[in-house]
Amino acid sequence: MNYQAIRAAVENPLLSAFGALVPAVPVYFDNITAVPPNTTTEYVRVNVTFGITNEPTLTSSVDNARGAIVIRVFTEKGKGPARNQTLLTTAVSALETLNNTAKTNSGVFFRVGEINGPTFSATENAPHFVGRIDTSYVATVLS
């Protein structure tokens, strides 16, 4: 199972989409240096989890992975939800492009499920307004 290739299949489109915004919005993935504490700048946190990582089929064992993607968008609190919703729309668009990619003979064939959310929260002490979406995925490593 090539976990890094699966991560790259979802992380690269998200990194490109948020990097293309003006100004670019930093994206933090699993096990990447966290944002500075007490920051008021906007950023995105992406978590990719793995559930089932090998499914038996009628003929052989295929490298299929199923899991979840959770995307949290952090924007300045007290400014309304518009900016947060704009960034969440960017994330949804990037995820939906994965479902439009044709299956090739090699690489990773990636599909996301229904996207849940967005949900929003803001705590009293934190300087951020947080929006969240999540979805399931199925990825097949092709050789």
Short mmCIF file of all heavy atoms in Angstrom, two decimals, residues 7-36:
data_model
loop_
_atom_site.label_atom_id
_atom_site.label_comp_id
_atom_site.label_asym_id
_atom_site.label_seq_id
_atom_site.Cartn_x
_atom_site.Cartn_y
_atom_site.Cartn_z
N ARG A 7 -2.05 10.11 -0.04
CA ARG A 7 -2.06 11.44 0.57
C ARG A 7 -1.81 12.52 -0.48
O ARG A 7 -2.49 13.54 -0.53
CB ARG A 7 -1.00 11.56 1.66
CG ARG A 7 -1.36 10.91 2.94
CD ARG A 7 -0.31 11.23 4.01
NE ARG A 7 -0.68 10.60 5.24
CZ ARG A 7 -1.61 11.05 6.07
NH1 ARG A 7 -2.26 12.16 5.79
NH2 ARG A 7 -1.90 10.41 7.18
N ALA A 8 -0.82 12.29 -1.33
CA ALA A 8 -0.48 13.28 -2.36
C ALA A 8 -1.65 13.53 -3.31
O ALA A 8 -1.85 14.65 -3.77
CB ALA A 8 0.76 12.82 -3.13
N ALA A 9 -2.42 12.48 -3.60
CA ALA A 9 -3.55 12.62 -4.52
C ALA A 9 -4.58 13.62 -4.01
O ALA A 9 -5.24 14.30 -4.80
CB ALA A 9 -4.21 11.26 -4.77
N VAL A 10 -4.75 13.71 -2.70
CA VAL A 10 -5.71 14.67 -2.15
C VAL A 10 -5.03 15.96 -1.70
O VAL A 10 -5.59 17.05 -1.84
CB VAL A 10 -6.53 14.05 -0.99
CG1 VAL A 10 -5.70 13.79 0.24
CG2 VAL A 10 -7.72 14.92 -0.64
N GLU A 11 -3.81 15.88 -1.20
CA GLU A 11 -3.14 17.07 -0.68
C GLU A 11 -2.70 18.03 -1.78
O GLU A 11 -2.83 19.25 -1.62
CB GLU A 11 -1.95 16.67 0.19
CG GLU A 11 -2.37 16.00 1.49
CD GLU A 11 -1.19 15.49 2.31
OE1 GLU A 11 -0.03 15.55 1.84
OE2 GLU A 11 -1.44 15.01 3.44
N ASN A 12 -2.19 17.52 -2.89
CA ASN A 12 -1.69 18.40 -3.95
C ASN A 12 -2.76 19.31 -4.53
O ASN A 12 -2.53 20.52 -4.69
CB ASN A 12 -1.00 17.59 -5.05
CG ASN A 12 0.35 17.07 -4.59
OD1 ASN A 12 0.96 17.60 -3.67
ND2 ASN A 12 0.82 16.01 -5.25
N PRO A 13 -3.97 18.80 -4.86
CA PRO A 13 -5.00 19.73 -5.37
C PRO A 13 -5.41 20.79 -4.34
O PRO A 13 -5.67 21.94 -4.71
CB PRO A 13 -6.18 18.81 -5.70
CG PRO A 13 -5.59 17.46 -5.87
CD PRO A 13 -4.41 17.41 -4.96
N LEU A 14 -5.46 20.42 -3.07
CA LEU A 14 -5.82 21.39 -2.04
C LEU A 14 -4.73 22.45 -1.89
O LEU A 14 -5.02 23.65 -1.81
CB LEU A 14 -6.08 20.69 -0.70
CG LEU A 14 -7.37 19.89 -0.64
CD1 LEU A 14 -7.37 18.96 0.56
CD2 LEU A 14 -8.58 20.81 -0.60
N LEU A 15 -3.48 22.01 -1.87
CA LEU A 15 -2.36 22.94 -1.75
C LEU A 15 -2.33 23.90 -2.93
O LEU A 15 -2.13 25.11 -2.76
CB LEU A 15 -1.05 22.15 -1.65
CG LEU A 15 0.18 22.92 -1.23
CD1 LEU A 15 -0.01 23.58 0.13
CD2 LEU A 15 1.39 22.00 -1.20
N SER A 16 -2.57 23.40 -4.13
CA SER A 16 -2.59 24.25 -5.32
C SER A 16 -3.74 25.25 -5.28
O SER A 16 -3.57 26.43 -5.61
CB SER A 16 -2.71 23.39 -6.58
OG SER A 16 -1.58 22.59 -6.75
N ALA A 17 -4.92 24.79 -4.88
CA ALA A 17 -6.10 25.67 -4.85
C ALA A 17 -5.93 26.82 -3.87
O ALA A 17 -6.21 27.98 -4.20
CB ALA A 17 -7.35 24.86 -4.50
N PHE A 18 -5.44 26.52 -2.66
CA PHE A 18 -5.27 27.58 -1.67
C PHE A 18 -4.05 28.44 -1.97
O PHE A 18 -4.02 29.62 -1.63
CB PHE A 18 -5.20 26.99 -0.26
CG PHE A 18 -6.54 26.55 0.24
CD1 PHE A 18 -6.88 25.21 0.28
CD2 PHE A 18 -7.49 27.47 0.65
CE1 PHE A 18 -8.13 24.80 0.73
CE2 PHE A 18 -8.75 27.08 1.09
CZ PHE A 18 -9.06 25.74 1.14
N GLY A 19 -3.05 27.87 -2.64
CA GLY A 19 -1.88 28.65 -3.04
C GLY A 19 -2.19 29.63 -4.16
O GLY A 19 -1.50 30.64 -4.31
N ALA A 20 -3.21 29.35 -4.95
CA ALA A 20 -3.58 30.21 -6.07
C ALA A 20 -4.42 31.41 -5.64
O ALA A 20 -4.64 32.33 -6.43
CB ALA A 20 -4.34 29.40 -7.12
N LEU A 21 -4.91 31.40 -4.40
CA LEU A 21 -5.72 32.53 -3.92
C LEU A 21 -4.82 33.75 -3.68
O LEU A 21 -3.62 33.63 -3.44
CB LEU A 21 -6.43 32.16 -2.62
CG LEU A 21 -7.45 31.03 -2.71
CD1 LEU A 21 -7.99 30.71 -1.32
CD2 LEU A 21 -8.59 31.40 -3.65
N VAL A 22 -5.42 34.93 -3.74
CA VAL A 22 -4.68 36.16 -3.45
C VAL A 22 -5.32 36.82 -2.25
O VAL A 22 -6.48 37.26 -2.35
CB VAL A 22 -4.69 37.11 -4.67
CG1 VAL A 22 -3.96 38.40 -4.35
CG2 VAL A 22 -4.07 36.42 -5.87
N PRO A 23 -4.64 36.89 -1.11
CA PRO A 23 -3.32 36.30 -0.87
C PRO A 23 -3.44 34.77 -0.69
O PRO A 23 -4.50 34.26 -0.37
CB PRO A 23 -2.87 36.95 0.44
CG PRO A 23 -4.14 37.25 1.17
CD PRO A 23 -5.15 37.59 0.08
N ALA A 24 -2.32 34.09 -0.90
CA ALA A 24 -2.29 32.63 -0.72
C ALA A 24 -2.59 32.30 0.74
O ALA A 24 -2.21 33.05 1.65
CB ALA A 24 -0.92 32.09 -1.11
N VAL A 25 -3.29 31.20 0.95
CA VAL A 25 -3.66 30.78 2.30
C VAL A 25 -2.83 29.55 2.66
O VAL A 25 -2.84 28.56 1.92
CB VAL A 25 -5.17 30.46 2.38
CG1 VAL A 25 -5.55 29.93 3.75
CG2 VAL A 25 -5.99 31.69 2.03
N PRO A 26 -2.11 29.59 3.79
CA PRO A 26 -1.30 28.43 4.17
C PRO A 26 -2.17 27.22 4.50
O PRO A 26 -3.25 27.36 5.09
CB PRO A 26 -0.52 28.87 5.41
CG PRO A 26 -0.93 30.27 5.70
CD PRO A 26 -1.99 30.69 4.73
N VAL A 27 -1.69 26.04 4.10
CA VAL A 27 -2.39 24.78 4.37
C VAL A 27 -1.46 23.90 5.18
O VAL A 27 -0.29 23.71 4.81
CB VAL A 27 -2.78 24.07 3.05
CG1 VAL A 27 -3.52 22.76 3.35
CG2 VAL A 27 -3.62 24.97 2.18
N TYR A 28 -1.96 23.35 6.27
CA TYR A 28 -1.19 22.47 7.14
C TYR A 28 -1.80 21.08 7.12
O TYR A 28 -2.99 20.92 7.37
CB TYR A 28 -1.17 23.02 8.58
CG TYR A 28 -0.49 24.37 8.64
CD1 TYR A 28 -1.24 25.54 8.54
CD2 TYR A 28 0.89 24.47 8.77
CE1 TYR A 28 -0.62 26.77 8.58
CE2 TYR A 28 1.51 25.70 8.82
CZ TYR A 28 0.75 26.85 8.72
OH TYR A 28 1.36 28.07 8.75
N PHE A 29 -0.97 20.09 6.79
CA PHE A 29 -1.40 18.71 6.71
C PHE A 29 -0.95 17.94 7.94
O PHE A 29 -0.23 18.48 8.78
CB PHE A 29 -0.85 18.05 5.44
CG PHE A 29 -1.31 18.72 4.18
CD1 PHE A 29 -0.49 19.59 3.49
CD2 PHE A 29 -2.59 18.50 3.69
CE1 PHE A 29 -0.92 20.21 2.33
CE2 PHE A 29 -3.03 19.11 2.53
CZ PHE A 29 -2.19 19.97 1.85
N ASP A 30 -1.34 16.67 8.06
CA ASP A 30 -0.95 15.82 9.18
C ASP A 30 0.57 15.85 9.37
O ASP A 30 1.33 15.75 8.41
CB ASP A 30 -1.39 14.37 8.92
CG ASP A 30 -2.90 14.24 8.88
OD1 ASP A 30 -3.58 14.85 9.72
OD2 ASP A 30 -3.40 13.52 7.99
N ASN A 31 0.98 15.99 10.62
CA ASN A 31 2.39 15.93 11.02
C ASN A 31 3.25 17.01 10.37
O ASN A 31 4.43 16.82 10.12
CB ASN A 31 2.98 14.54 10.75
CG ASN A 31 4.18 14.28 11.63
OD1 ASN A 31 4.31 14.82 12.71
ND2 ASN A 31 5.08 13.44 11.15
N ILE A 32 2.66 18.15 10.08
CA ILE A 32 3.39 19.31 9.56
C ILE A 32 3.37 20.35 10.67
O ILE A 32 2.42 20.46 11.43
CB ILE A 32 2.71 19.88 8.29
CG1 ILE A 32 2.64 18.83 7.20
CG2 ILE A 32 3.40 21.13 7.81
CD1 ILE A 32 3.96 18.38 6.64
N THR A 33 4.43 21.13 10.74
CA THR A 33 4.56 22.13 11.79
C THR A 33 3.26 22.93 11.93
O THR A 33 2.72 23.43 10.95
CB THR A 33 5.71 23.09 11.47
OG1 THR A 33 6.90 22.31 11.30
CG2 THR A 33 5.91 24.09 12.58
N ALA A 34 2.81 23.04 13.15
CA ALA A 34 1.56 23.74 13.44
C ALA A 34 1.74 25.24 13.27
O ALA A 34 2.86 25.76 13.28
CB ALA A 34 1.10 23.43 14.86
N VAL A 35 0.63 25.93 13.11
CA VAL A 35 0.66 27.38 13.01
C VAL A 35 1.14 27.96 14.33
O VAL A 35 1.01 27.33 15.38
CB VAL A 35 -0.73 27.94 12.65
CG1 VAL A 35 -1.15 27.47 11.29
CG2 VAL A 35 -1.75 27.58 13.69
N PRO A 36 1.70 29.16 14.29
CA PRO A 36 2.15 29.77 15.53
C PRO A 36 0.99 29.95 16.51
O PRO A 36 -0.13 30.26 16.09
CB PRO A 36 2.70 31.13 15.09
CG PRO A 36 2.95 31.00 13.63
CD PRO A 36 1.98 29.96 13.12
#
